[in-house]
Amino acid sequence: MSLPSSVRLVEVGPRDGLQNEKQPISVSDKVRLVNDLSAAGLRYVEVGSFVSPKWVPQMAGSAEVFAGIQRSPGVTYAALTPNLKGFEAALEAKVEEVAVFAAASEAFSQKNINCSIAESLQRFIPLMEAARAANVRVRGYVSCVLGCPYDGEIAPAQVAAVARELYAMGCYEVSLGDTIGTGTAGKTRQLIETVAREVPHHLLAGHFHDTYGQALANIYASLLEGISVFDSSVAGLGGCPYAKGATGNVATEDVLYMLQGLGIDTGIDLDRLIDAGARICEVLGKANGSRVARARLASR
Ligand code: HMG
Ligand code: MG
């Protein structure tokens, strides 16, 4: 398959990137990050989550963040919602699009959302109905697609079965999450081949955490399999509170640099993106997780 001429990057830094941070981050710093990202040309930003504050305290202020951001035309501002309660709160905060999240592994489903995979899918049905009535699009995530921190290896057919359910209930796109970043390029290709028998290629996205340093290779492998939507996190921020040791998503700057090298259009300005990443790293007092950003910042 030939490479796509353009790719859509889904920026998950304000959500996946920050959800695991232990230190308090002010609403205004979160707002600034979201605004910086849209100004850099990102057309889709996952701003926060409407989940239980007992489970993920850092996302508790998501409604305030939504109230504070400057909404640029053409940008989708989205949030995670695990159930109807979360969806209703998201709607109140004028979220334009939501995402539900299931897992391909039973153990991870229990640890992350306190129910089985089947129960989680059941829980999404009233949410999907409410979203349809409110004209809100719903994206679906499947976690642990290339390995689980508790169950180990995950069969591609298991991922395909969950992806098929999300697609059948009305998710317009299904993002395949390598939550713990153990996937390799070969396994990624096999996975996509299997899942694409249930959900068409053009409705799949890749969500690679970079724990083992394989994310860019996995994205390239996905491009070869016809995938053209990828989730990434500015400065490589993040991790999942329920996947110990998992690092952040692949850095948006690094993905962008690779795509630019392949002549693939994204509409994003690399320099402005690097500035956005540098600023939030300064706020967090953290080293920048993007190799491209580190190199460029050092040579400025
Ligand atoms: P539960 O404890 O089983 O829920 O949690 P419950 O229905 O029994 O309710 C317990 C309490 O939570 C009640 O409050 C509810 O009102 C409240 P109380 O009466 O005790 O005061 N509650 C809520 N509050 C706010 N918003 C809500 C909500 N729902 C219930 N939406 C639940 C179940 C799903 C709520 C919980 O497990 C949860 O919030 N989990 C979220 C975990 C999470 O956000 N994980 C990180 C995101 S997933 C991820 O990072 C992976 C991804 O990036 C892809 C990848 O990398 O693979 C997407
Ligand atoms: Mg993730």
Side-chain angles (χ1 to χ4, degrees):
M1 206 176 285
S2 58
L3 295 176
S5 58
S6 68
V7 152
R8 180 158 57 87
L9 290 183
V10 169
E11 173 60 48
V12 296
R15 194 279 301 172
D16 208 345
L18 299 184
Q19 69 183 7
N20 208 25
E21 283 296 328
K22 296 289 174 280
Q23 56 179 310
I25 306 165
S26 71
V27 168
S28 62
D29 283 329
K30 291 178 181 174
V31 166
R32 176 75 195 259
L33 174 62
V34 174
N35 289 344
D36 285 352
L37 291 165
S38 61
L42 265 314
R43 287 291 159 262
Y44 191 112
V45 184
E46 209 171 68
V47 173
S49 303
F50 292 87
V51 299
S52 162
K54 287 182 195 140
W55 287 65
V56 185
Q58 187 61 258
M59 290 291 108
S62 290
E64 285 89 336
V65 180
F66 271 97
I69 55 174
Q70 227 172 339
R71 301 193 192 217
S72 299
V75 180
T76 301
Y77 298 94
L80 290 194
T81 54
N83 52 21
L84 189 58
K85 186 181 170 83
F87 178 77
E88 284 166 351
L91 208 56
E92 203 155 310
K94 299 192 171 55
V95 174
E96 286 149 47
E97 192 173 305
V98 299
V100 293
F101 47 110
S105 122
E106 284 296 349
F108 187 79
S109 185
Q110 290 291 351
K111 297 273 186 198
N112 194 41
I113 49 178
N114 203 27
C115 64
S116 68
I117 299 168
E119 282 165 342
S120 73
L121 296 171
Q122 278 303 313
R123 209 177 260 181
F124 299 153
I125 290 171
L127 187 163
M128 298 298 302
E129 280 166 12
R132 214 168 286 127
N135 218 7
V136 169
R137 297 209 303 170
V138 184
R139 195 169 191 248
Y141 278 105
V142 185
S143 286
C144 297
V145 299
L146 289 163
C148 168
Y150 313 102
D151 286 346
E153 288 279 319
I154 298 296
Q158 212 168 314
V159 180
V162 179
R164 181 185 59 224
E165 294 294 321
L166 291 173
Y167 176 50
M169 71 173 71
C171 291
Y172 75 91
E173 181 171 280
V174 178
S175 177
L176 302 174
D178 184 9
T179 318
I180 54 171
T182 53
T184 55
K187 281 191 172 173
T188 298
R189 295 194 76 165
Q190 272 172 11
L191 173 75
I192 293 166
E193 267 176 40
T194 306
V195 178
R197 289 183 208 132
E198 304 291 346
V199 182
H201 286 99
H202 69 281
L203 302 182
L204 292 174
H207 178 109
F208 296 101
H209 285 259
D210 202 25
T211 318
Y212 281 66
Q214 304 298 303
L216 282 181
N218 294 341
I219 289 175
Y220 189 68
S222 306
L223 286 168
L224 295 174
E225 288 294 327
I227 306 300
S228 60
V229 182
F230 297 98
D231 306 351
S232 60
S233 177
V234 70
L237 296 173
C240 175
Y242 297 100
K244 248 199 173 76
T247 63
N249 296 86
V250 63
T252 311
E253 298 90 322
D254 297 0
V255 181
L256 180 58
Y257 183 78
M258 181 180 81
L259 294 174
Q260 286 180 340
L262 291 166
I264 296 174
D265 183 42
T266 61
I268 302 164
D269 180 324
L270 181 58
D271 284 320
R272 293 189 81 167
L273 181 63
I274 289 172
D275 290 341
R279 190 168 295 121
I280 187 66
C281 287
E282 209 175 294
V283 168
L284 298 174
K286 277 192 127 173
N288 197 315
S290 160
R291 303 282 290 262
V292 168
R294 289 208 300 268
R296 288 288 174 92
L297 289 165
S299 66
R300 269 184 189 174

